[in-house]
Amino acid sequence: MTEVMILVVEDEAAISTLIQFTLEQAGFVVQCVPSVEAAQPLLQARLADVLLLDWMLPGLSGLDFIRQLRNDIRSRDLPIILLTARGEETDKEQGLNLGADDYITKPFSPRELIARINALLRRRAPQKTSVPLRIYGLELDPQQQRVQVNGQTIPFGPSEFKLLHFFMTHPDRIYTRSQLLDLVWGDHVFVEERTVDVHIRRLRRGLETVGHDHLIQTVRGSGYRFSP
Ligand code: CA
């Protein structure tokens, strides 16, 4: 399965340790930091797939951070789950209104946490899940890491596979190189945009062997689109 990176911002060490253990057991890659100030440079370097964000933090609060992230085009769509100890409905509403995708009230069970994260990924980042896909003549099985056309398997490297998985879950939309770096590789700082072109070329070459390279379209001055 594709690697899923979860950034956890939680200042209570005991809770943070428990979350880290739970998520790693479930196969996620986890980074834990105790404050928004510590999370900012990490997200700047690499966009996480999911942000688990505590509400009450020293320094900037979880709500301040959500406001900040939603105002930035790069993190506008970052899936965020707010962790809150508060039971008040109005507080939860405030969090959701500001742009959190979901919230979990502490204390929560490991099972509930994993279920919420998976539900959010299915909704917001389907390229990170292992649901088999079939679109425009291509069949992709994330669990087997296999792409087929009419029963014929096309051999792809891990990067081309990830890129195609993303396209097949986001068809008919134009993505810039920078967006693809963030959304497919989670990284817009350490990987050059030209790298995207290299993988696009390999992807097309593979699809060409089954006559489907037209599905990867260059949109001049903008980026790429997966479309018939
Ligand atoms: Ca706290």
Side-chain angles (χ1 to χ4, degrees):
M1 203 176 109
T2 311
E3 177 183 293
V4 176
M5 221 280 277
I6 301 184
L7 179 61
V8 182
V9 188
E10 166 63 77
D11 60 314
E12 284 165 74
I15 297 179
S16 178
T17 306
L18 180 67
I19 291 177
Q20 177 156 20
F21 177 78
T22 301
L23 297 182
E24 283 178 352
Q25 288 290 99
F28 296 111
V29 178
V30 187
Q31 269 186 312
C32 294
V33 289
S35 68
V36 170
E37 289 77 0
Q40 282 164 333
L42 291 182
L43 278 183
Q44 192 51 38
R46 182 182 167 175
L47 201 59
D49 296 305
V50 175
L51 176 65
L52 276 189
L53 180 61
D54 187 26
W55 179 310
M56 299 298 280
L57 292 162
L60 283 178
S61 76
L63 286 192
D64 293 331
F65 198 24
I66 291 179
R67 205 175 282 126
Q68 217 176 68
L69 291 168
R70 291 308 187 224
N71 280 330
D72 182 344
I73 188 160
R74 187 164 169 257
S75 51
R76 202 173 49 196
D77 297 324
L78 174 67
I80 301 175
I81 298 177
L82 196 58
L83 304 175
T84 168
R86 305 176 176 204
E88 297 246 345
E89 285 306 311
T90 50
D91 290 341
K92 290 171 185 168
E93 272 170 34
Q94 198 187 346
L96 295 175
N97 284 341
L98 273 176
D101 295 282
D102 200 358
Y103 62 84
I104 300 184
T105 307
K106 293 188 237 179
F108 45 81
S109 72
R111 186 184 291 195
E112 185 189 3
L113 179 62
I114 300 296
R116 295 291 191 93
I117 290 173
N118 283 329
L120 185 54
L121 283 171
R122 276 196 298 276
R123 208 160 75 231
R124 301 290 307 284
Q127 76 277 14
K128 299 284 180 176
T129 65
S130 48
V131 179
L133 303 166
R134 179 190 291 236
I135 180 169
Y136 303 148
L138 303 184
E139 287 175 52
L140 183 144
D141 183 341
Q143 235 142 27
Q144 312 269 348
Q145 294 266 309
R146 191 177 63 195
V147 182
Q148 290 189 316
V149 172
N150 297 325
Q152 186 183 341
T153 301
I154 313 165
F156 281 122
S159 289
E160 288 71 41
F161 185 87
K162 264 204 292 200
L163 187 56
L164 184 59
H165 196 183
F166 176 81
F167 277 135
M168 287 175 71
T169 47
H170 299 78
D172 307 313
R173 280 181 61 183
I174 300 168
Y175 290 93
T176 65
R177 290 168 179 80
S178 156
Q179 281 176 318
L180 289 171
L181 283 179
D182 273 339
L183 294 165
V184 180
W185 287 277
D187 195 336
H188 80 154
V189 173
F190 300 114
V191 185
E192 281 186 69
E193 293 196 357
R194 280 163 44 110
T195 309
V196 175
D197 299 335
V198 172
H199 293 303
I200 290 277
R201 213 173 304 136
R202 289 188 193 147
L203 189 53
R204 276 196 182 123
R205 215 174 290 147
L207 291 174
E208 199 179 0
T209 61
V210 289
H212 280 63
D213 50 309
H214 62 279
L215 291 175
I216 307 294
Q217 302 168 358
T218 303
V219 182
R220 197 175 286 269
S222 301
Y224 296 104
R225 176 176 56 202
F226 177 77
S227 181

